[in-house]
């Protein structure tokens, strides 16, 4: 667990990302995939905000839009008070040094034709931080920080295991001393034993360098271990957000209850009542009216089908989007 300062680093306001669907001879827009559909939250300096939900709920799109790797449809992202989406090309280039990403796939995210030294050193050259001997010294330092040997600098990605490749990806993200790192399911492609090593490394780096994380995952056990606060996403919306202990002890949204009921318990004497959701996740192309979860909710009432619940604070620091709370 990290120690947050209380000062807000990132504030997301009513963020939307709708991808157009084209069809017909003239490729007209016939609909939109509402990947992110009105999300609001903030991240404090030095904390880890976990973002969890089923596959396809918009978590990765959220991370990419926050970094402006994908342009938004609507909304704002404020980084230290600056609206990221209003910055010009040169201003955005400078801001890139403050915000980095660790990708999900350690195999696809590294260029197989570049050596480890070139991969980690590329951001240093692009931003004019270091070249030549100074760049190589910085790369060797970063390799040591993430638990690899400096002599790995001349090797290529195919010579490393998945866990080692992810360490290279982490070193690349650290190269420019960023304040915010988006961790886009950084351990989901790794073996369980390696997952714990990478998570512990991320926690150590956060403590050493004062990093702030937006940690995206679908594994609740991973999210519980690393997060200070947790946001639960469903169909492009955040339906619940609370501190990690509060969310696991006292879930308020039915969807969160269902997710937590599926987490395995190590103690065989504890019997947990599993909540099995019926039906499939609705399409983000044509989401349900009212509450997006009402088609699968066992508590749904008539107003859930027509009225969109607002995200409201039911306890200090505990926010939920549900008509019944």
């Amino acid at each position: 667990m990290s120690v947050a300062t209380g000062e807000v680093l990132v504030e997301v306001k009513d963020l939307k990302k709708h991808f157009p669907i084209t069809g017909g001879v003239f490729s007209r827009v016939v609909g939109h995939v509402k990947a992110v559909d009105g999300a609001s939250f903030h991240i404090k300096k030095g904390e880890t905000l976990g973002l969890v939900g089923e596959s396809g709920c918009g978590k990765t799109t959220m991370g990419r839009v926050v970094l402006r790797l994908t342009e938004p449809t609507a909304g704002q992202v404020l980084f230290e008070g600056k609206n990221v989406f209003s910055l010009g090309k040169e201003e955005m280039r400078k801001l890139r040094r403050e915000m980095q990403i660790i990708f999900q796939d350690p195999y696809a995210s590294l260029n197989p034709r570049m050596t480890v030294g070139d991969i980690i050193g590329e951001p240093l050259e692009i931003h004019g931080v270091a070249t030549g001997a100074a760049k190589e010294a910085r790369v060797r330092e970063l390799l040591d920080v993430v638990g690899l040997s400096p002599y790995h600098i001349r090797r290529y990605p195919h010579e490393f295991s998945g866990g080692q490749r992810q360490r290279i990806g982490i070193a690349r993200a650290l190269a420019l001393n960023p304040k915010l790192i988006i961790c886009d399911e950084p351990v989901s492609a790794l073996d369980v034993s390696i997952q714990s090593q990478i998570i512990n490394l991320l926690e150590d780096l956060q403590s050493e360098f004062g990093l702030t994380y937006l940690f995206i995952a679908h594994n609740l056990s991973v999210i519980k271990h690393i997060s200070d606060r947790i946001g639960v996403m469903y169909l492009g919306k955040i339906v619940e957000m609370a501190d990690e202990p509060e969310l696991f002890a006292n879930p308020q949204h039915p969807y969160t209850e269902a997710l937590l009921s599926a987490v395995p318990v190590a103690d065989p004497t504890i019997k947990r009542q599993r909540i099995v959701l019926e039906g499939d996740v609705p399409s983000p192309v044509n989401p349900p009216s009212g509450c997006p979860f009402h088609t699968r909710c066992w508590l749904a009432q008539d107003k859930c089908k027509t009225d969109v619940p607002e995200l409201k604070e039911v306890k200090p620091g505990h926010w939920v989007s549900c008509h019944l709370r």
Side-chain angles (χ1 to χ4, degrees), residues 117-262:
D118 290 334
I119 289 170
I120 300 173
E122 188 176 36
L124 299 171
E125 284 202 12
I126 288 174
H127 290 272
V129 175
T131 57
K135 183 187 81 169
E136 182 168 326
R138 174 63 175 156
V139 171
R140 290 180 183 275
E141 178 189 346
L142 288 165
L143 286 171
D144 184 59
V145 164
V146 299
L148 295 174
S149 298
Y151 66 78
H152 287 145
I153 194 169
R154 306 285 179 225
R155 293 188 180 180
Y156 288 86
H158 73 269
E159 300 179 71
F160 295 89
S161 67
Q164 288 175 319
R165 289 183 191 212
Q166 198 59 293
R167 289 174 186 269
I168 295 167
I170 293 170
R172 176 176 59 187
L174 289 173
L176 296 171
N177 294 317
K179 295 176 182 176
L180 172 71
I181 296 182
I182 307 286
C183 305
D184 183 14
E185 304 209 29
V187 298
S188 63
L190 306 176
D191 293 340
V192 174
S193 59
I194 306 301
Q195 286 184 11
S196 60
Q197 294 178 20
I198 297 300
I199 290 169
N200 289 336
L201 172 63
L202 289 171
E203 289 185 319
D204 291 343
L205 293 173
Q206 184 176 45
S207 176
E208 185 175 352
F209 299 111
L211 299 170
T212 302
Y213 293 146
L214 174 59
F215 195 96
I216 298 166
H218 60 261
N219 187 326
L220 279 163
S221 298
V222 170
I223 283 285
K224 178 179 172 62
H225 180 78
I226 198 169
S227 302
D228 299 300
R229 289 187 302 127
I230 299 173
V232 180
M233 279 194 76
Y234 184 80
L235 216 61
K237 296 180 182 290
I238 290 180
V239 296
E240 186 165 6
M241 183 168 286
D243 292 340
E244 176 269 315
E246 167 69 13
L247 188 86
F248 275 80
N250 187 30
Q252 293 292 306
H253 198 281
Y255 178 60
T256 310
E257 290 184 52
L259 285 181
L260 295 180
S261 76

